[in-house]
Amino acid sequence: MAHKSAADMVKEAKQQIENISPDQVEREISSGDATVIDIRESEELTQNGKIAGSVHAPRGMLEFYADSSLP
């Protein structure tokens, strides 16, 4: 079995992602149809502020937070 390169994996993942405009994001948040996960580090939130209504999950911890088998 051939191994995929990181670039191939990123390309495949991007094909499954729906990109939406900031206006669409605002509408979906306002209607309650979306949850924004802010993956920036804590230092970045301190510098730049938090996205209103978002859930903070630093990128390095995202998989751990998403795995329900972990405490």
Side-chain angles (χ1 to χ4, degrees), residues 18-29:
E18 177 187 1
N19 290 306
I20 60 177
S21 71
D23 289 338
Q24 287 172 296
V25 171
E26 185 176 19
R27 285 193 299 274
E28 291 196 24
I29 292 171

Side-chain angles (χ1 to χ4, degrees), residues 64-71:
F64 295 101
Y65 291 164
D67 187 343
S68 62
S69 69
L70 297 173

Side-chain angles (χ1 to χ4, degrees), residues 5-20:
S5 70
D8 289 335
M9 290 187 282
V10 169
K11 183 178 178 181
E12 284 181 17
K14 285 185 175 185
Q15 291 173 348
Q16 299 178 39
I17 295 171
E18 177 187 1
N19 290 306
I20 60 177

Side-chain angles (χ1 to χ4, degrees), residues 15-50:
Q15 291 173 348
Q16 299 178 39
I17 295 171
E18 177 187 1
N19 290 306
I20 60 177
S21 71
D23 289 338
Q24 287 172 296
V25 171
E26 185 176 19
R27 285 193 299 274
E28 291 196 24
I29 292 171
S30 295
S31 69
D33 290 337
T35 300
V36 174
I37 310 295
D38 192 333
I39 63 170
R40 296 176 294 161
E41 297 298 327
S42 297
E43 298 80 26
E44 294 173 280
L45 296 183
T46 300
Q47 279 184 332
N48 303 312
K50 185 178 176 198

